Amino acid sequence: MSFLKKSPWVLHYAATSCNGCDIELLACLTPLYDVERFGIVNTGNPKHADIFLVTGSVNEESRKVVENLYAQMPDPKVVVAIGACALSGGIFRDAYNVYGGIDQVIPVDVYVPGCAARPESIIDGIVRSLDILEQRAKERKRQRKMVAL
Amino acid sequence: MSNTTIVPFGPQHPVLPEPIHLDLELDDERVVQALPSIGYVHRGLELLAERHDFIEMANVAERICGICSFIHGQGYCQGIEQLMGVEVPPRAVYLRTIWGEISRIQSHLLWLGLSADALGYESLFQHSWRIREMLVDVIEETTGGRVIFGVCKVGGLRKNVDDAVLKAVRGRMRDIQTAFNEIADVFRQDPTVKKRTVGVGVLTAEDAHILGAVGPVLRGSGVAHDTRKLGYAAFGELDWEPVVEQEGDCYARCIVRVREIDQSFDIIAQCLDRMPAGEVEVSVKGKRPKGEAMFRLEQPRGEVCYYISADGKKNLARFRVRTPTFANIAPLVHMLKGCELADVPVIVLTIDPCVSCTER
């Protein structure tokens, strides 16, 4: 990936997270790490977002919210699961109200490990997801052309 | 009947990093009633005490919340130590106090940034987090972690900190305090901040007391109540007084936190002056906790209570936490009555909601 054609906007949702990964994610936006230099902006509106960043595992209540937010995002979209809990449930996998990782509910493209995930690895995860996003955009364009023919 | 509208606030909202849901009943722009609903972060953490033994459980306790992680670990370990009758070496007690205060400063800076963001003051948000990042470096140097410290264990600490490192920490803390004082005046005097916060979300001392507010919300309403005055850890030997503001509005709560950051720098300096030498852990091999213990600590957000019940087995019989945000939700609902819709994010943020603590 040498350059990006568009600025990808991210949507963050803390599903059942302990806050640890959330504040590391916010730290990515602030001066030391500053992902905005890549054009990445944190938005509160799922309809404006390209990348869905989910921290924490899912429980009965947050499952519906995660599904809704994912459905509201326009195509093409990618999902990045951040932190041990989002991958598998982490330390809480045995708890009675935890279903497990985010991939139990929505398809996940990039997994970022760590408890809490470090800002460097979160940025790496987002950058990797950009490649997938671009591929999906190309694929979509090709399919549209086929339909037009 | 009446022509009120209901506006949902959350669970996914730009000013909230965490999910909490409020149903706001509005008459024009004025909030008539706010109904909170929680459960988005409930994991069933307390029941994990049955799955993990009491030594491992310290790691789970630390993950109740990622912002006040160290203080949760400290509270759990102190409760267990009290049950087992273990005396922790004085150096460990002082180091715990220092880390507790560092995490308080970190949490307050984080909050100041988020509240500035809720006011629409983006550059102040970025500055607060820039300074917080300097503090996180100190945490990383002394503990190895950025968010989850992982140094507290039953019987003391997992690692000692050299005197040379502590000397460097003293210098670094002085630099951070200087940097913080530059932005502290903005929170104190800036007309934009004042315009959004002065007189907004007023909670009188009487209401705060009746509704059971804790922490900066209570102290911002003029009640001098700070659990650190119980003298746990090293607080009994140090010289400090609770920070109190009288007005009870959002501005007062903001100023309480700004002044508490200064106070925490002072407490850390005092701890570094008196730092005892020696070991940082005692062996707890072969011992099992037995009986019941109740333990109270002061978190950045207020008073937190731990209840531990053990019957001499490897696993605890019951582990219960009562967290400050849960106590502050009732005052929040009271404050929201009669406020403007545009002020809702500011008022919600001034109780410093920590939802993952609340629901566990």
Side-chain angles (χ1 to χ4, degrees), chain A residues 11 13-20 23-24 26 30-33 44 59 61 65 92 94-97 115 118-119, chain B residues 12 17-19 39-45 47 51 60 63 65-67 110 126 129 132-133 140 146-147 354 356:
Chain A
L11 171 74
Y13 182 68
T16 311
S17 140
C18 78
N19 267 346
I23 55 176
E24 291 293 58
L26 276 174
T30 50
L32 187 69
Y33 295 101
N59 68 6
E61 198 79 1
V65 186
F92 302 115
D94 294 331
Y96 64 84
N97 201 21
C115 180
R118 292 183 65 89
Chain B
Q12 194 269 333
E18 286 186 283
Y40 297 97
V41 197
H42 178 62
R43 291 157 285 186
L45 186 144
L47 203 69
R51 300 281 181 106
V60 180
R63 283 163 178 81
C65 163
I67 303 176
L110 187 145
Q126 303 283 357
W129 279 65
R132 179 183 167 271
E133 208 61 53
E140 198 175 353
R146 274 171 59 90
V147 175
C354 177
S356 64

Side-chain angles (χ1 to χ4, degrees), chain B residues 36 53 60 79 89 119 129 164 182 248 255 285 312 331 348:
Chain B
D53 70 39
V60 180
L119 300 173
W129 279 65
E182 283 169 15
I255 295 303
K285 218 173 177 183
V348 171

Side-chain angles (χ1 to χ4, degrees), chain B residues 155-174:
Chain B
L157 297 174
R158 247 186 215 109
K159 66 190 273 188
N160 199 346
V161 182
D162 291 344
D163 283 326
V165 176
L166 286 180
K167 204 177 162 200
V169 167
R170 183 195 290 271
R172 295 277 284 283
M173 293 312 273
R174 218 175 288 135

Side-chain angles (χ1 to χ4, degrees), chain A:
Chain A
M1 185 201 69
S2 53
F3 68 95
L4 292 171
K5 288 202 186 94
K6 284 177 183 163
S7 301
W9 285 20
V10 299
L11 171 74
H12 164 225
Y13 182 68
T16 311
S17 140
C18 78
N19 267 346
C21 299
D22 306 320
I23 55 176
E24 291 293 58
L25 183 56
L26 276 174
C28 291
L29 303 168
T30 50
L32 187 69
Y33 295 101
D34 193 17
V35 290
E36 209 160 323
R37 65 202 150 116
F38 304 127
I40 299 170
V41 177
N42 187 19
T43 167
N45 189 343
K47 284 168 184 130
H48 296 168
D50 306 298
I51 304 173
F52 190 19
L53 307 172
V54 198
T55 54
S57 49
V58 274
N59 68 6
E60 183 57 39
E61 198 79 1
S62 67
R63 185 175 59 99
K64 290 172 263 175
V65 186
V66 171
E67 277 173 354
N68 278 347
L69 288 173
Y70 182 73
Q72 285 181 47
M73 283 171 61
D75 278 325
K77 57 191 167 189
V78 284
V79 179
V80 183
I82 295 170
C85 298
L87 266 54
S88 65
I91 198 166
F92 302 115
R93 67 190 175 280
D94 294 331
Y96 64 84
N97 201 21
V98 170
Y99 281 4
I102 297 298
D103 49 13
Q104 305 278 327
V105 183
I106 53 171
V108 176
D109 300 293
V110 181
Y111 295 87
V112 178
C115 180
R118 292 183 65 89
E120 289 91 344
S121 54
I122 295 177
I123 295 173
D124 187 42
I126 296 176
V127 169
R128 271 161 203 260
S129 76
L130 294 176
D131 279 343
I132 302 174
L133 188 69
E134 209 143 315
Q135 269 173 27
R136 290 216 175 127
K138 267 184 202 155
E139 180 69 12
R140 226 174 117 75
K141 223 174 188 178
R142 200 177 60 82
Q143 279 176 355
R144 267 209 201 126
K145 256 185 201 163
M146 301 250 293
V147 172
L149 285 171

